[in-house]
Amino acid sequence: MKSNSGATTLKKFSLFALKRKNLCIPYGVFLVLFIIIPILLIVFYAFTDTNGYFSFESLVNFFTTWTKINVLFVSIFIALLTTLICLLIGYPLAYFLADKKINKNAVLVTLFIAPMWINFVLRTGATRDLLTWLGINGGNHPYLATLIGMVYNYLPFVILPLYTTMLKLDKSQIEAAADLGANPFQVFTKSIFPQTIPGIISAVLMTFMPTMSSYVISDLLSEGKITLFGNYIYLDFSQAMWNDGSFMALIMLVIVGISMFLTRGVEKEQGRGSGLW
């Protein structure tokens, strides 16, 4: 009887495990159809010519065309500046919102995140109308108008991960630092800031790369005077230049991969001993 009972239990456990494995099938199908196959297509077009034969023509075209190199540098500069401004604005705001003495029911957080619920193009169009009314338009100040639009659109992506991280701050450690004689600056640099590094990394990744690949904001707010990397990829694809556009998209993927590789070790280290000093 005991043997039969044990076999039945083992059979039920095996069926349960099998059913749990089946739950991975939809994710696997999604992964293959919408991630692996598109990436393989990008790699294929990036290293073939218009006839489908293996070629480095797109690579040579990119690194020998100063316009494309300039677009890459301009995109990196605007992305870095946007990320820096968003961090300078978003960090103190997130710290303020994470203080439960001030923000008890997270209503203020919702107000900051609410613009993300509105259509991206509508937000950008409204920003353009407001800047035009203020006298800051793409015709006179293309870089300033684009930068304001970038900061406005991506600021919530900085606030949210920082806010989530700051909710988990070790308050006892901060209080101990103050009790041991640390001044406010030392408390921030030695205790608060190290604990928020994972949130900073997430905020940078969620802002820097989307800013580089964005083309709607720069196109609308600069009135076509600023071309970012995303704009150039879109132009290549819209003109059926699949090979050149795919190689530029591949460069974006490489930058994303390098960014994630460089930050992964920092996140793991912070996860093991966040805030230890």
Side-chain angles (χ1 to χ4, degrees), residues 116-133:
M116 296 172 60
W117 303 340
I118 304 172
N119 182 274
F120 189 79
V121 179
L122 290 178
R123 294 203 314 266
T124 305
T127 305
R128 179 187 60 183
D129 295 339
L130 176 62
L131 292 178
T132 301
W133 181 73

Side-chain angles (χ1 to χ4, degrees), residues 95 106 169 185-186 196 215 238 258 273:
Y95 189 78
L169 287 177
F185 180 77
Q186 290 174 325
T196 58
Y215 66 90
S238 64
I258 293 173

Side-chain angles (χ1 to χ4, degrees), residues 9-224:
T9 303
L10 182 61
K11 184 177 180 180
K12 289 181 178 179
F13 179 78
S14 300
L15 290 173
F16 177 73
L18 184 61
K19 289 180 181 179
R20 291 192 64 182
K21 288 181 179 179
N22 290 339
L23 295 176
C24 298
I25 294 177
Y27 173 74
V29 173
F30 177 86
L31 187 69
V32 171
L33 291 179
F34 298 103
I35 298 179
I36 296 178
I37 292 179
I39 290 177
L40 291 177
L41 286 174
I42 289 174
V43 174
F44 171 77
Y45 279 110
F47 293 103
T48 55
D49 56 19
T50 53
N51 297 318
Y53 295 108
F54 179 79
S55 173
F56 288 109
E57 183 180 352
S58 299
L59 184 149
V60 174
N61 286 340
F62 179 82
F63 287 104
T64 57
T65 304
W66 171 245
T67 303
K68 295 182 178 181
I69 301 295
N70 183 62
V71 166
L72 177 60
F73 287 142
V74 170
S75 301
I76 292 175
F77 173 75
I78 291 180
L80 286 173
L81 195 57
T82 300
T83 303
L84 180 60
I85 294 174
C86 285
L87 283 174
L88 291 175
I89 298 174
Y91 195 97
L93 280 175
Y95 189 78
F96 173 81
L97 295 172
D99 189 343
K100 294 182 180 180
K101 295 180 181 179
I102 301 173
N103 185 27
K104 296 182 180 180
N105 51 12
V107 173
L108 292 177
V109 179
T110 305
L111 293 176
F112 278 97
I113 305 303
M116 296 172 60
W117 303 340
I118 304 172
N119 182 274
F120 189 79
V121 179
L122 290 178
R123 294 203 314 266
T124 305
T127 305
R128 179 187 60 183
D129 295 339
L130 176 62
L131 292 178
T132 301
W133 181 73
L134 294 173
I136 306 173
N137 53 58
N140 299 326
H141 308 282
Y143 283 93
L144 180 59
T146 300
L147 194 61
I148 292 174
M150 291 287 188
V151 171
Y152 167 70
N153 279 282
Y154 289 106
L155 184 60
F157 293 95
V158 170
I159 293 177
L160 190 57
L162 286 172
Y163 168 76
T164 304
T165 302
M166 289 177 180
L167 285 176
K168 304 173 185 177
L169 287 177
D170 188 351
K171 302 294 184 181
S172 61
Q173 182 185 120
I174 298 172
E175 293 172 358
D179 292 339
L180 291 171
N183 58 44
F185 180 77
Q186 290 174 325
V187 171
F188 173 76
T189 56
K190 298 294 186 179
S191 181
I192 297 176
F193 183 77
Q195 293 185 69
T196 58
I197 287 179
I200 294 174
I201 292 173
S202 298
V204 169
L205 291 177
M206 293 176 66
T207 307
F208 180 77
M209 296 311 304
T211 303
M212 279 193 64
S213 60
S214 174
Y215 66 90
V216 174
I217 297 176
S218 60
D219 196 46
L220 288 177
L221 297 183
S222 72
E223 298 181 7

